[in-house]
Amino acid sequence: MLTDTKVRNAKPRPKSYKLTDTNRLFLLVAPGGGKLWRWNYVYDGKNKTMAFGAYPMVSLADARAKRDNAYAILSEGNDPGVAKKLRIEANLEAARQTFEKVAREWHENAKAQWAKIHAADIIRSLERDIFPSIGDLPIAQLTPPLVLAALREVEARGSIETAKRIRQRISAVFVYAIAQGIATTDPAEKLGAVLKPLRKGRQPAITTLVPLRKMIATAEQDYARPITRLALRFLALTAVRPSELRGARWDEFEELNGKEPLWRIPSARMKGDLERKEESDGDHLVPVTPQAVAVLKALWPLTGEGPLLFPSNRHTHRPMSENAIGYLLNRAGYHGHHVPHGFRAAFSTIMNEWAEREGKDHDRKVIDLMLAHVPKEKVEGAYNRAAYMPRRRELASIWADMLSDGLPEPGTLIELPVKAIGGCSRRSFAPPLDAEFRFPIRRRGCLAYRRGPLPQFT
């Protein structure tokens, strides 16, 4: 039986020799002075030898522990030499399965369910914010502190919502890895509770493009007046405040048949202090995209004879109820998830993220202008409200293209079922398919349609 002293004092000889220990463990002393631990065993009737490393890196106690572990594997009917090779290969494979590699496999597997723009946004967010910090680490070895540190970097630049969204994407990658047998736990699962909270008092809003489109499509299929459906679509496209939409008048629109249609919202109707409301040049200019023009064309036969785009159901000279769009969203199942004002948060979040990856200098300021955020400096505000109009129109078109992808044409929203109110039948709210009969009138307090040509859209 060996001791530490015997092992330490073993001297090299002209030929290799063995110093034996218990249970077939021995130390092989080479002529060059190397001391190697070996263990002989029998498996399936064959004599085999297993290497345990070199002394002094592997001490006598370590060698005996390795022998005991190997003997336990042998006692279960397994070849400890083969088991060791399998462990080494498994460790090498685990090291090859980095977070970035698995995340790209997950993205490739899942992207068919997303729109192309959304799929590109997902992988770009990981490339920008996650891969540089943990992308080259084995996914099975990632811990909650490592993932949290990467998310904290996103929070540090003020992107609180983005950090929460990226955490969900990281968690989805781990779910995929667990299903593939690459990982056993999801270290991102519980991190949502420790990320920075969103600003208190913020109104609920869906700020991811695909769920936002799904919400619009779902709400538009619910029972509602055609005017309410079109108001919802127009609000989403323009990202104006709901109060500005409700008070919209036909005479505020310019060049609707031209190349650069514009909605000029008078300063008196804009949010702000009295000084802003009294400014002659304080009008808010909203570029009207082709998708928004399509909404107006569908709306014109319904309300074009009156001053308001979206009048009340019972009084055409009054704006629609401030709760009409909100009730529609609630009926569609989005109570507590999205409110009419939430389209502004959605526009801001999605377009600012787009600007960060693909935009130009000052796009963030242009997006603020499009939201009619009042600058602190009066001189800057007066200048900027009339500035950057070409870029504002470009960004409005990009937003409209992303938002409208997959949504039905506005004209089809008129023909969907509507909810009866009071003594008015559902049919009285929906115009006939023949355009000749789509002339709106009031009959006993209900919206109806009589024979006559469509008013000209100007």
Side-chain angles (χ1 to χ4, degrees):
M1 182 174 179
L2 292 176
T3 64
D4 288 331
T5 302
K6 288 181 180 180
V7 173
R8 184 173 60 254
N9 293 332
K11 304 298 182 181
R13 298 175 183 174
K15 293 184 180 181
S16 298
Y17 67 96
K18 300 177 182 179
L19 296 176
T20 59
D21 193 55
T22 57
N23 197 10
R24 307 186 76 176
L25 175 68
F26 64 91
L27 182 72
L28 180 66
V29 182
K35 301 175 182 181
L36 308 174
W37 292 111
R38 297 289 186 267
W39 178 60
N40 289 330
Y41 66 100
V42 178
Y43 183 77
D44 195 21
K46 298 179 181 179
N47 290 317
K48 295 190 173 186
T49 300
M50 192 171 179
F52 288 155
Y55 179 86
M57 287 187 293
V58 178
S59 67
L60 175 60
D62 292 337
R64 287 171 175 170
K66 289 177 180 288
R67 174 201 61 194
D68 294 342
N69 290 335
Y71 185 76
I73 295 173
L74 182 64
S75 299
E76 295 176 351
N78 297 315
D79 187 338
V82 173
K84 179 181 178 181
K85 291 179 180 179
L86 291 177
R87 286 198 305 273
I88 293 173
E89 182 59 32
N91 291 336
L92 290 173
E93 182 59 24
R96 298 186 191 109
Q97 297 293 344
T98 63
F99 179 82
E100 179 175 351
K101 180 177 182 292
V102 178
R104 291 189 183 279
E105 290 178 3
W106 162 78
H107 182 267
E108 184 66 26
N109 180 70
K111 70 179 184 180
Q113 65 184 302
W114 304 316
K116 289 184 178 180
I117 293 177
H118 183 58
D121 180 68
I122 288 175
I123 195 63
R124 284 195 190 101
S125 68
L126 296 175
E127 290 172 342
R128 179 185 65 233
D129 298 318
I130 301 302
F131 291 167
S133 54
I134 63 173
D136 59 348
L137 299 179
I139 190 170
Q141 298 179 22
L142 287 176
T143 61
L146 286 172
V147 178
L148 180 60
L151 294 173
R152 291 293 192 212
E153 292 182 11
V154 180
E155 289 183 331
R157 67 170 190 259
S159 302
I160 307 302
E161 292 185 34
T162 301
K164 292 182 178 297
R165 191 175 301 115
I166 291 177
R167 185 210 65 81
Q168 294 173 342
R169 294 166 183 173
I170 294 174
S171 188
V173 173
F174 275 100
V175 169
Y176 174 82
I178 292 170
Q180 298 293 320
I182 301 170
T184 57
T185 59
D186 175 10
E189 181 182 10
K190 305 296 184 181
L191 295 183
V194 298
L195 292 177
K196 291 182 179 180
L198 296 174
R199 186 178 61 191
K200 292 183 178 180
R202 176 173 293 184
Q203 301 190 63
I206 296 173
T207 57
T208 304
L209 189 58
V210 173
L212 184 68
R213 283 198 298 252
K214 181 180 179 182
M215 182 270 293
I216 294 172
T218 301
E220 289 177 347
Q221 292 296 318
D222 209 313
Y223 289 127
R225 289 196 306 154
I227 293 173
T228 306
R229 289 195 188 96
L230 293 171
L232 173 70
R233 180 74 70 89
F234 200 67
L235 184 65
L237 287 168
T238 58
V240 298
R241 297 180 179 89
S243 60
E244 295 157 7
L245 176 98
R246 290 175 51 244
R249 300 174 61 88
W250 286 107
D251 59 13
E252 292 173 355
F253 290 84
E254 305 170 6
E255 300 291 335
L256 286 180
N257 291 323
K259 293 182 179 180
E260 296 183 346
L262 187 71
W263 179 14
R264 185 184 297 272
I265 305 178
S267 58
R269 289 211 302 111
M270 295 298 298
K271 178 181 178 181
D273 54 24
L274 182 61
E275 187 177 15
R276 164 70 185 269
K277 292 177 182 295
E278 291 177 347
E279 288 179 354
S280 60
D281 61 348
D283 298 345
H284 179 47
L285 308 179
V286 181
V288 183
T289 62
Q291 294 88 340
V293 170
V295 174
L296 297 178
K297 287 185 177 180
L299 184 66
W300 177 262
L302 305 180
T303 67
E305 280 204 324
L308 298 173
L309 273 69
F310 306 105
S312 164
N313 178 50
R314 300 192 180 278
H315 305 284
T316 57
H317 63 285
R318 295 180 183 175
M320 67 189 302
S321 168
E322 62 181 349
N323 298 318
I325 299 177
Y327 286 158
L328 173 57
L329 294 174
N330 292 347
R331 289 196 302 272
Y334 288 91
H335 177 71
H337 297 280
H338 194 87
V339 295
H341 198 274
F343 286 112
R344 292 172 60 77
F347 172 81
S348 177
T349 300
I350 295 171
M351 287 305 296
N352 272 300
E353 288 184 353
W354 178 91
E356 186 173 345
R357 65 177 184 265
E358 298 182 32
K360 301 179 180 179
D361 293 343
H362 307 302
D363 270 355
R364 288 181 177 274
K365 292 183 178 180
V366 176
I367 290 170
D368 273 347
L369 289 176
M370 297 173 72
L371 290 166
H373 290 162
V374 181
K376 295 180 180 179
E377 297 294 332
K378 180 180 177 182
V379 174
E380 178 188 356
Y383 170 73
N384 280 339
R385 279 196 293 274
Y388 307 116
M389 183 51 67
R391 187 56 178 167
R392 290 168 69 177
R393 193 171 292 279
E394 290 173 0
L395 294 178
S397 294
I398 291 169
W399 167 250
D401 289 342
M402 290 193 296
L403 186 71
S404 301
D405 186 20
L407 294 179
E409 290 297 321
T412 64
L413 304 180
I414 300 175
E415 300 161 6
L416 296 175
V418 296
K419 184 176 181 180
I421 300 177
C424 305
S425 68
R426 289 185 175 181
R427 179 174 296 178
S428 70
F429 281 83
L433 297 180
D434 188 340
E436 265 194 9
F437 291 85
R438 295 174 68 179
F439 194 90
I441 61 171
R442 288 279 164 181
R443 180 177 295 151
R444 297 178 182 177
C446 300
L447 183 66
Y449 300 83
R450 66 173 173 81
R451 181 182 298 273
L454 283 173
Q456 184 178 3
F457 185 72
T458 57

